[in-house]
Amino acid sequence: FVQFEHQLLGSDLSPTMSSPADGPLRIAVTSSNPEKLEAVRAAFQTVLAPQTPGLVVEITACPSDSGIPHGQPWGMQHTYEGALARLHHLKARLGETESIAGSTFHYLVSVENGVFALLRHDATEAQDVACVVVEEVATGRQAMNFSQARPYPLQRIQRMRQEGASGERIGEFCRQWYDEKALLVSRADQIRTATSFAFSLLGSLG
C-alpha cells in the first residue's frame, strides 16, 4: 500500500457520515494511478463542507484486481462488476491482517473505467465511463455512481489490437488521443464527480 497525505482547506463532515474523532480521515483507493488518487481526494474535499478547517485526509493506494482477464470491461454492468471485484479483493487483503470493521480506514473507494457500445447502421460508437463505489467502513454501507461519458476511439484501438499492440502501447495511445482532443471532461473529472455523488449518497442512505 502506498500512502498519500493531503490537507483539506476548510472541510466539514456530515453527522450522517463516518468522521474521525481525532486524527486524519483515511481513505483506501483500489488504484495506484496518481490521477485517480487525486480525483478521489478532490471529490471528498468537494463534498465536505467548510466547518472543519485543517482536517487531514490520507489517501492510500491499494491496487486491487478487477478479475477481468483482458483488462477492459464492456458495458455498464461489466464495469460495475469490475469495481465491485476490486473492492472485494481489497477487503480480502485487509481481512488478512485486520477485521474490516476494525480497519484504520474510514472509507474504501473502488474505481473502474469501462466502455459501452452504441450501434448505428453504418458504424459502432463507443463511450468511456467511470464507475465508483464508496463503502463506509464503520457500517458497511455502499453507494455507487457512474460518470459522464466520453468518446472512446474504438476503431483505432481495435486495429491496434489486431496488429498486436501491447496494453501499455494502447494505454499510451489513449492518453495522447484524449490530450489532443482536449475534451471538456477529463478522466479526473469523471472520477471526481462520480466519487462526489456516490459519497454524498451515503448521507441519504438511512
Side-chain angles (χ1 to χ4, degrees):
F1 292 176
V2 181
Q3 191 174 84
F4 297 81
E5 187 173 289
H6 299 274
Q7 184 77 25
L8 290 185
L9 302 179
S11 51
D12 169 56
L13 292 168
S14 167
T16 60
M17 300 180 185
S18 292
S19 61
D22 187 25
L25 182 71
R26 298 184 176 91
I27 303 166
V29 182
T30 61
S31 175
S32 60
N33 184 314
E35 184 179 34
K36 293 183 178 182
L37 298 175
E38 171 58 22
V40 171
R41 183 210 62 78
F44 275 78
Q45 181 173 359
T46 298
V47 174
L48 299 174
Q51 276 80 28
T52 311
L55 176 67
V56 173
V57 171
E58 290 180 356
I59 300 292
T60 300
C62 306
S64 303
D65 188 11
S66 68
I68 300 172
H70 50 78
Q72 178 63 71
W74 284 90
M76 299 183 80
Q77 181 66 36
H78 201 199
T79 304
Y80 178 46
E81 291 171 358
L84 289 177
R86 290 186 191 276
L87 183 60
H88 173 77
H89 290 143
L90 170 58
K91 293 169 69 174
R93 292 169 64 193
L94 289 175
E96 293 174 358
T97 56
E98 58 187 340
S99 69
I100 300 301
S103 169
T104 58
F105 295 115
H106 299 96
Y107 294 95
L108 308 179
V109 178
S110 184
V111 179
E112 184 71 40
N113 272 75
V115 176
F116 66 89
L118 300 171
L119 302 180
R120 296 179 8 177
H121 73 281
D122 58 349
T124 301
E125 300 287 347
Q127 298 283 306
D128 166 79
V129 293
C131 177
V132 175
V133 180
V134 178
E135 177 169 325
E136 185 179 48
V137 172
T139 64
R141 296 184 308 164
Q142 293 181 358
M144 61 79 64
N145 191 243
F146 280 93
S147 73
Q148 169 69 47
R150 299 188 303 164
Y152 181 79
L154 179 62
Q155 287 75 23
R156 294 282 299 277
I157 291 173
Q158 286 177 330
R159 286 199 300 270
M160 293 178 70
R161 289 193 183 280
Q162 292 167 359
E163 294 166 358
S166 66
E168 291 76 12
R169 176 68 189 90
I170 291 174
E172 180 60 29
F173 163 75
C174 285
R175 284 188 290 272
Q176 293 176 353
W177 189 84
Y178 282 116
D179 286 345
E180 292 172 1
K181 293 296 182 183
L183 301 175
L184 293 178
V185 177
S186 68
R187 171 65 59 84
D189 292 331
Q190 288 181 308
I191 296 167
R192 177 179 51 79
T193 54
T195 303
S196 296
F197 197 81
F199 179 44
S200 67
L201 283 175
L202 286 176
S204 62
L205 298 177

